[in-house]
Amino acid sequence: MKIKTIELRENQRLHLGKASPLVAPLSLYLEPTSLCNMRCEFCPTGDAHLRRRRPNGTMDLSVVTKLVRDIQDWGIQVRRINLYKDGEPTLHKQFIEMVQILKEGGVSKELWTKTNGLLLNPEYNQRLIESGLDMIGVSINAVSGDGYLKVTKTKLDYEKLVAGVTDLCERARGTQVRVLVKIANSGFSPDEIRKFYDDFSAAELLSVEQLHGWAGSDQKDWTLGTNPTTFEGGALVDKIACPLPFFMLAVNWNGTVGLCNDDWLHATICGDVRTQTLKEIWEGDELRKLRVMHLAGKRRDNAACGNCSNLRTLPDNIDAHRLEILQRLTDAPDAGSDRETIAGIQAAV
């Protein structure tokens, strides 16, 4: 079935402007690894020079078990945990175990992941289906081996890739797992788009997405000269404040916690789950300061947020409610010394 991926994000959306700050995050990103087996032109991880600007590695399972314990002790259950961020999740040799720990912990209503599909094969696919995942997104980047070499600088057997993805889709039928196969449109012809739909017709869900910018979009044009739009091809919307810090967090492979899954620079770090609980981070001073920064219209003070192109693609917009949210932050019992700062911003906004 052909869909627009925003259809997967529209279910039970909360009005953040009226509800923020939330008592707990709605969703989390959990990064199994920051490493990847492709070098995509439209991704910061594909650029060796930019990749060296952040720490890189693979998440230890102890971080996952600690996170589960934090959420259980907090007494909450998040709507979704997304097991992906800057790297390719299936490169983590214990990725299946990671999913199982989260599933058995009962800390999230849904578990999602995304993969480039290179490591999919019948045996691994069956383990993925049985792991506890609810959604598997497969990101396709071209419709031929030559196309992959051009866009991802990766030599691969395209027919083998199609066979692996098709096998996953067939094994998912009749299970709790939904499979979305999508392609990032880096300038494909109508014939190439039709070939994508034909080659991956076994998928329950199929989508064509437009390229988008990332945090720190002044570093490189990741849209590859295409006309910037939302994922679905809609017009971009300029925003003052990013809505993401008000409903989600991203746990990097090394346990540090940032504001969003697009912060490949690690410039929005607001805590570390190895030394703090998730609740402490969510209610902590560092996250509050970053939220106030956005509400005050000062996101350009941050290397990741200041030139974030992805902000313009997000469906949520809290700009009209910035003063309301600032007032609630001021009224919070733990606002402390921030009250004076927040009051000054309210007077200036």
Side-chain angles (χ1 to χ4, degrees):
M1 177 175 65
K2 297 179 183 179
I3 67 165
K4 293 184 177 181
T5 49
I6 197 170
E7 296 173 34
L8 301 176
R9 305 197 298 270
E10 284 297 317
N11 187 33
Q12 296 180 331
R13 294 199 75 82
L14 187 68
H15 194 303
L16 288 174
K18 295 179 180 179
S20 297
L22 305 178
V23 296
L26 296 178
S27 63
L28 299 172
Y29 279 81
L30 193 61
E31 180 179 53
T33 180
S34 64
L35 307 175
C36 191
N37 48 2
M38 284 189 181
R39 292 179 292 161
C40 299
E41 293 275 10
F42 49 78
C43 176
T45 299
D47 188 307
H49 172 70
L50 294 179
R51 191 170 58 246
R52 285 195 291 269
R53 295 183 59 185
R54 67 170 189 239
N56 290 281
T58 297
M59 181 174 284
D60 193 275
L61 288 186
S62 63
V63 175
V64 185
T65 55
K66 166 65 164 53
L67 184 66
V68 168
R69 187 167 63 251
D70 284 353
I71 299 175
Q72 290 174 337
D73 290 346
W74 196 352
I76 65 169
Q77 185 184 52
V78 299
R79 287 187 183 180
R80 182 186 307 155
I81 293 180
N82 303 290
L83 287 104
Y84 60 92
K85 186 175 176 277
D86 296 319
E88 167 53 38
T90 61
L91 286 177
H92 195 300
K93 296 186 182 303
Q94 295 176 295
F95 178 69
I96 301 295
E97 289 83 348
M98 181 179 295
V99 178
Q100 291 171 336
I101 290 170
L102 293 165
K103 184 68 174 182
E104 292 169 5
V107 293
S108 178
K109 294 179 181 178
E110 294 183 323
L111 297 175
W112 288 24
T113 195
K114 286 185 181 179
T115 174
N116 58 32
L118 260 64
L119 300 182
L120 297 181
N121 61 68
E123 180 182 356
Y124 191 70
N125 291 344
Q126 189 60 38
R127 295 183 67 204
L128 281 175
I129 296 298
E130 296 173 353
S131 66
L133 288 167
D134 298 286
M135 174 74 77
I136 302 173
V138 183
S139 298
I140 301 300
N141 298 307
V143 291
S144 68
D146 289 342
Y148 262 91
L149 190 59
K150 177 182 178 182
V151 177
T152 73
K153 299 179 183 178
T154 306
K155 188 175 183 179
L156 56 79
D157 182 337
Y158 177 73
E159 298 305 322
K160 181 179 179 181
L161 171 67
V162 174
V165 175
T166 299
D167 179 82
L168 176 69
C169 294
E170 292 174 346
R171 291 176 185 273
R173 290 175 188 162
T175 74
Q176 86 287 353
V177 183
R178 307 185 76 189
V179 178
L180 164 69
V181 181
K182 63 184 182 67
I183 191 168
N185 190 355
S186 55
F188 298 119
S189 68
D191 285 343
E192 288 173 311
I193 295 298
R194 280 192 290 270
K195 188 174 189 298
F196 161 72
Y197 284 126
D198 289 341
D199 288 350
F200 299 97
S201 58
E204 177 189 357
L205 303 171
L206 286 162
S207 179
V208 176
E209 288 189 352
Q210 305 308 309
L211 296 181
H212 68 90
W214 292 72
S217 287
D218 55 329
Q219 306 293 318
K220 186 175 181 179
D221 177 18
W222 286 292
T223 64
L224 306 184
T226 60
N227 182 33
T229 68
T230 65
F231 290 107
E232 293 75 27
L236 298 177
V237 178
D238 289 324
K239 302 181 184 73
I240 297 172
C242 180
L244 297 184
F246 295 90
F247 74 90
M248 61 159 284
L249 290 173
V251 183
N252 298 310
W253 69 270
N254 59 357
T256 60
V257 179
L259 297 188
C260 79
N261 58 307
D262 261 29
D263 178 17
W264 58 273
L265 281 163
H266 290 206
T268 64
I269 301 302
C270 55
D272 190 325
V273 294
R274 294 169 299 182
T275 58
Q276 299 168 275
T277 67
L278 193 66
K279 186 175 188 288
E280 288 171 341
I281 296 169
W282 184 255
E283 298 175 349
D285 290 341
E286 294 304 314
L287 181 53
R288 183 188 296 108
K289 290 174 183 176
L290 288 166
R291 286 171 172 166
V292 169
M293 175 191 75
H294 274 274
L295 294 171
K298 296 183 178 181
R299 62 182 174 85
R300 296 196 180 279
D301 292 346
N302 185 276
C305 303
N307 290 287
C308 179
S309 176
N310 190 47
L311 169 61
R312 302 167 70 198
T313 73
L314 300 174
D316 299 300
N317 190 340
I318 63 172
D319 283 359
H321 300 271
R322 287 188 299 143
L323 283 176
E324 298 172 34
I325 300 171
L326 278 168
Q327 183 61 56
R328 295 186 202 116
L329 287 172
T330 305
D331 294 340
D334 55 353
S337 61
D338 285 341
R339 282 199 177 93
E340 183 176 341
T341 300
I342 294 171
I345 292 169
Q346 288 172 319
V349 173

